[in-house]
Amino acid sequence: MIQVQQVNHTFLIGKKGKEKKVPVLKGLSFEVKQGEIVAIVGKSGSGKSTLLHTIAGFMSPEQGSITVNGQETANLNETERAVFRLNNFGFIFQNFQLMPGLTAFENVELPLKLKGISPKKRKESVEQMMDKVGLTEVGDHYPNELSGGQQQRVSIARALITNPPILFADEPTGSLDSETEQDILLLIQNLNQTLGVTFVMITHDEEVASIAHRTFKMRDGELVKGDAL
Amino acid sequence: MLFKDQVDFVRQHIKKNKLRVFMTILAATMGCAFLIVLASIGFGIQDTMRKEILQDQAITEVEVYPNENEELNLEEIKSVPYIGAIVQRTSMDVMTSFHLEDRSIQGNLLLTDMQEEEQSNLKLSEGRLPQNESEIVVGYHFAQNLWTDAERAKVVEEEADLPKGYEKSIIGKTVTLSLQPYDSEDAFSEQWEFTVVGVVDIPARDWIIDQSILMDKLWLSKLKGTYEENAEQIPENFTYTTTKIYTDSLEHVKSVTKDLKDMGYNVYSVSEQLEQIDVFFMAFKIGLIFVGTIAVLISSIGIFNTMTMAVTERTREIGVMKAIGASPKLIQRLFLMESAWIGIIGTVLAVIISYAVSYLANWILPMVVGTSLGEDGLQDLSITFSLIPWQLVVLASTISIGVAMISGWRPARKATKIDVIQALRQEL
Ligand SMILES: Nc1ncnc2c1ncn2[C@@H]1O[C@H](COP(=O)(O)OP(=O)(O)OP(=O)(O)O)[C@@H](O)[C@H]1O
Ligand SMILES: [Mg+2]
């Protein structure tokens, strides 16, 4: 599903003229198979988010190739990348990243709007999804009228609404209490088992990592343990 | 994304910032309304002047003058297409007095061809055109300027009210013509009698006094003969002829004017005058529109600011949109739609306001000008101060909406350039 080969990336930091080179990704190679739950763990600053951003196409790595679903992402232009993300990826963010001006229902509906699906069909599938994540009651609430767990479920519902084959999550439970965290983890496992969705998630949390089929540990931009390719 | 969803999206954003968007629309409205109202003055005054000219004289009339020491070649002129009638009126360098009972007038005797006069649609207020050479048509003010010698003396001495002249109907009356050279004390003894059969229509302008007499041109040689018999010598340029050509319709005035000019004649027609006016006003209007456009440009700064702020405020949202798969093109379009919407609403309001201002100006300004001049008469003059033709509306709308979209373009570009990672990092 995802092949990462020899990915290198270096950031330039500091004042202009006196920039320092900071290598963040150092020759990473691994593969994620379809239907897998993969957890990426590691110390803060080890390059986990940067890795995820390169796979998701938010940025291009300096070197190396990333192939997702048979598509080499470096070969796509901005517009094609957007379409590719819309069709293949779902994102769950640590701080939910919901649209404050849209209700829970509308937030979940947004990717379908972007896909140009008719309002009638949208309503049907959003209602189903809301039911699946247990949000039917709060559909017309705005994000600031929802609890953290509810917000995260909205964000999960939004990520899943287009039936993407791959889901990315950066600290999906980072801002939730442990009980809500459990709920979300069960939901993720359930989705993985029933729909065969591939999960790539970053976490600090041992418990979260425990639901993963495989765990990649990063240190200073390198994989140190796990079933690296 | 469906178009309807895009519109919804834009509307939602506008709703969130009602006041700011309202102020921006207000500025756009003021700029565009200023442009329309300013330019409408040009259109209005031009319209007034055109109307004045068209009222001034028969609009199908083309005056032709030969060059010095040359004569008109009538045969050649007749060959010009669309000519309806060629009216040549000849006056003589002699005093022509007409007498009726104890009254008399020094009228302006014009010798002409009655058939051509008829073809040129000469309008009469009373009676008919002459059917034989002893019948004449007189000007509208002929009768009221038929004064007795006593009345005339009184008018010269004191500034009394003008005498009423001959108050009975002049139609069917017989008047007597006598000739008197300008340098002589006495009139020739010979006299001729004519029957008045018609009165020419009131002149287009109320300050024109028409006391002319239209007489068949057969009389020219007779009267000239009499002059030659009685006076020692006939003046140089004893006769003077004006030639007016009447075209079939107004549309042909231009082509006839051009054809005659090409023949080398001096030509004067309404179309000539209108053309000059149009050229002048074209320049004038372009100037006004230019000044008005500057106002639109100033108001566009507001749109630029508003859109820049909107993009900055929504950086995180734009980042999320991009992350979940909105293409840069879509994001650019959404923001362009928003600035276009501001431009469109501003323009629509501006057009409505402009029509209201224009209407009020045409209603109130004549009154204000009239009072300050101390005349009531000005109100009756239909002066158009401001006129908004649809072309002006189209032009102003294009400028205004175009400028709105151009000023929204940079912020929209900026929105597409937003970096997803940076945007997602922003605090909620
Ligand atoms: N845009 C950037 N410019 C410069 N340096 C950056 C940039 N983004 C990240 N870095 C650097 O890259 C390194 C890795 O950052 P990254 O965000 O990938 O870490 P992380 O593993 O996700 O950490 P955390 O667990 O705290 O989220 C850090 O040292 C950081 O300073
Ligand atoms: Mg991180």
Side-chain angles (χ1 to χ4, degrees):
Chain A
M1 190 101 256
I2 303 171
Q3 284 95 30
V4 177
Q5 274 160 13
Q6 289 302 320
V7 167
N8 282 287
H9 193 80
T10 309
F11 280 118
L12 287 178
I13 55 158
K15 283 186 185 136
K16 262 216 169 139
K18 293 191 226 162
E19 295 105 334
K20 264 202 315 212
K21 278 190 178 174
V22 182
V24 180
L25 303 177
K26 301 175 188 164
L28 286 178
S29 298
F30 62 88
E31 186 173 11
V32 178
K33 296 193 188 74
Q34 182 167 3
E36 258 189 320
I37 301 180
V38 168
I40 302 174
V41 298
K43 273 203 300 208
S44 184
S46 56
K48 307 182 293 291
S49 295
T50 308
L51 174 62
L52 196 73
H53 292 158
T54 54
I55 300 172
F58 297 159
M59 55 181 275
S60 303
E62 278 174 350
Q63 280 173 5
S65 87
I66 295 164
T67 312
V68 182
N69 221 349
Q71 174 68 51
E72 167 101 53
T73 48
N75 295 341
L76 301 174
N77 68 25
E78 271 244 50
T79 307
E80 289 165 342
R81 261 186 219 193
V83 175
F84 188 75
R85 280 204 286 270
L86 188 59
N87 291 325
N88 293 285
F89 297 161
F91 292 96
I92 303 165
F93 304 98
Q94 178 177 10
N95 37 15
F96 325 130
Q97 302 287 9
L98 301 177
M99 296 289 184
L102 301 180
T103 62
F105 188 96
E106 288 164 344
N107 263 291
V108 177
E109 193 185 18
L110 187 58
L112 295 181
K113 276 193 184 174
L114 291 178
K115 279 190 124 175
I117 308 234
S118 75
K120 213 179 126 218
K121 278 195 194 157
R122 284 194 317 236
K123 191 160 182 275
E124 230 167 81
S125 44
V126 174
E127 270 167 2
Q128 268 178 27
M129 181 56 67
M130 297 291 272
D131 189 46
K132 195 178 284 173
V133 295
L135 286 171
T136 313
E137 251 106 274
V138 293
D140 50 3
H141 286 222
Y142 284 94
N144 60 4
E145 299 160 351
L146 294 170
S147 73
Q150 284 169 329
Q151 288 185 57
Q152 191 59 301
R153 275 188 295 204
V154 173
S155 124
I156 291 171
R158 181 179 66 185
L160 290 168
I161 192 73
T162 54
N163 283 324
I166 303 160
L167 243 89
F168 294 108
D170 195 342
E171 314 265 6
T173 60
S175 38
L176 303 176
D177 63 73
S178 59
E179 210 166 310
T180 327
E181 184 183 297
Q182 278 302 321
D183 282 355
I184 299 287
L185 289 180
L186 279 174
L187 184 66
I188 289 174
Q189 272 183 310
N190 185 270
L191 288 168
N192 173 257
Q193 276 154 21
T194 54
L195 299 173
V197 182
T198 310
F199 270 91
V200 177
M201 54 185 187
I202 295 173
T203 184
H204 277 112
D205 196 314
E206 293 286 314
E207 197 151 352
V208 177
S210 71
I211 69 159
H213 302 137
R214 286 191 294 162
T215 302
F216 298 159
K217 187 161 190 192
M218 283 190 74
R219 187 190 297 143
D220 297 334
E222 287 169 310
L223 290 183
V224 289
K225 193 190 114 194
D227 322 47
L229 201 81
Chain B
M1 203 172 184
L2 300 175
F3 183 72
K4 191 190 154 290
D5 289 329
Q6 297 178 14
V7 173
D8 273 355
F9 191 90
V10 170
R11 221 185 30 216
Q12 227 155 21
H13 276 164
I14 286 170
K15 258 198 204 153
K16 244 195 287 179
N17 265 303
K18 272 199 207 110
L19 183 65
R20 193 171 69 195
V21 173
F22 171 78
M23 296 310 277
T24 315
I25 290 176
L26 191 67
T29 303
M30 276 161 45
C32 184
F34 180 76
L35 164 62
I36 296 178
V37 170
L38 196 66
S40 81
I41 296 170
F43 283 95
I45 296 176
Q46 181 182 24
D47 186 64
T48 305
M49 292 194 65
R50 282 186 71 113
K51 272 195 199 142
E52 288 277 291
I53 287 165
L54 292 177
Q55 211 177 53
D56 231 11
Q57 61 202 98
I59 51 176
T60 56
E61 189 178 285
V62 180
E63 280 181 50
V64 209
Y65 304 98
N67 290 314
E68 240 177 298
N69 303 324
E70 279 177 32
E71 296 219 351
L72 294 173
N73 180 346
L74 285 184
E75 287 309 310
E76 187 187 36
I77 292 175
K78 271 180 194 153
S79 70
V80 173
Y82 308 119
I83 284 187
I86 303 173
V87 176
Q88 290 197 299
R89 289 177 175 178
T90 305
S91 59
M92 295 179 298
D93 191 11
V94 61
M95 270 196 274
T96 50
S97 305
F98 286 82
H99 306 267
L100 175 61
E101 294 161 13
D102 57 343
R103 296 168 182 275
S104 67
I105 185 173
Q106 252 199 51
N108 176 23
L109 178 60
L110 298 168
L111 295 139
T112 181
D113 183 325
M114 289 304 166
Q115 248 137 39
E116 293 286 350
E117 291 283 357
E118 187 174 0
Q119 271 182 35
S120 77
N121 282 323
L122 178 70
K123 288 210 179 61
L124 301 180
S125 65
E126 264 185 279
R128 57 170 173 82
L129 282 172
Q131 278 160 359
N132 60 55
E133 64 220 57
S134 69
E135 293 179 343
I136 55 169
V137 166
V138 295
Y140 187 82
H141 301 100
F142 182 86
Q144 72 189 58
N145 285 320
L146 267 173
W147 295 341
T148 62
D149 287 345
E151 279 174 344
R152 192 163 289 122
K154 213 167 144 196
V155 170
V156 175
E157 268 169 30
E158 48 195 289
E159 290 182 7
D161 283 346
L162 288 176
K164 296 248 162 50
Y166 190 78
E167 285 182 281
K168 281 178 269 180
S169 170
I170 190 101
I171 302 282
K173 297 289 177 319
T174 300
V175 294
T176 314
L177 165 66
S178 64
L179 298 182
Q180 179 184 348
Y182 281 107
D183 52 7
S184 159
E185 297 282 296
D186 301 303
F188 301 148
S189 56
E190 219 167 326
Q191 294 196 326
W192 301 267
E193 289 194 337
F194 298 92
T195 311
V196 178
V197 294
V199 177
V200 178
D201 207 6
I202 187 164
R205 303 269 136 195
D206 45 11
W207 42 263
I208 295 177
I209 297 188
D210 181 10
Q211 44 189 33
S212 60
I213 299 94
L214 295 180
M215 184 180 287
D216 198 286
K217 65 179 178 196
L218 278 175
W219 287 94
L220 181 59
S221 53
K222 286 189 206 176
L223 298 177
K224 199 173 171 185
T226 306
Y227 193 104
E228 279 165 343
E229 277 167 33
N230 290 283
E232 286 133 39
Q233 86 186 91
I234 193 155
E236 231 183 298
N237 302 326
F238 180 66
T239 58
Y240 179 75
T241 304
T242 59
T243 309
K244 289 181 178 175
I245 289 168
Y246 293 85
T247 63
D248 293 344
S249 71
L250 182 58
E251 309 141 49
H252 297 131
V253 172
K254 201 169 171 182
S255 74
V256 169
T257 304
K258 189 179 171 296
D259 289 349
L260 291 172
K261 268 195 177 164
D262 290 347
M263 288 175 183
Y265 297 126
N266 297 310
V267 187
Y268 183 81
S269 70
V270 171
S271 82
E272 278 282 281
Q273 222 173 337
L274 288 182
E275 227 160 78
Q276 283 169 11
I277 288 205
D278 286 349
V279 168
F280 170 77
F281 273 96
M282 185 48 74
F284 185 52
K285 287 186 292 192
I286 288 174
L288 291 178
I289 288 171
F290 180 76
V291 174
T293 302
I294 292 175
V296 173
L297 288 176
I298 293 171
S299 77
S300 78
I301 296 172
I303 297 177
F304 180 83
N305 269 336
T306 299
M307 293 313 297
T308 307
M309 270 169 83
V311 170
T312 311
E313 272 177 8
R314 289 181 222 150
T315 299
R316 193 183 62 81
E317 286 179 57
I318 295 164
V320 175
M321 294 267 292
K322 282 179 95 171
I324 63 178
S327 71
K329 271 187 207 142
L330 173 68
I331 285 163
Q332 181 171 5
R333 186 156 65 238
L334 291 174
F335 280 95
L336 277 182
M337 277 168 72
E338 193 168 332
S339 53
W341 193 86
I342 290 174
I344 289 167
I345 297 293
T347 304
V348 169
L349 290 177
V351 169
I352 295 169
I353 290 172
S354 302
Y355 271 108
V357 169
S358 164
Y359 179 81
L360 279 179
N362 287 333
W363 181 51
I364 292 173
L365 276 184
M367 288 203 285
V368 173
V369 174
T371 357
S372 65
L373 291 180
E375 289 173 37
D376 304 328
L378 215 64
Q379 284 170 44
D380 306 330
L381 281 179
S382 60
I383 297 179
T384 311
F385 283 96
S386 157
L387 178 79
I388 307 176
W390 64 267
Q391 290 94 331
L392 175 58
V393 172
V394 170
L395 181 72
S397 306
T398 312
I399 291 176
S400 179
I401 297 172
V403 166
M405 290 190 67
I406 291 170
S407 48
W409 196 80
R410 264 197 74 86
R413 284 294 297 173
K414 193 180 150 195
T416 68
K417 297 259 164 66
I418 283 172
D419 179 55
V420 177
I421 303 167
Q422 296 298 335
L424 293 182
R425 252 190 212 151
Q426 277 197 356
E427 275 307 302
L428 289 170

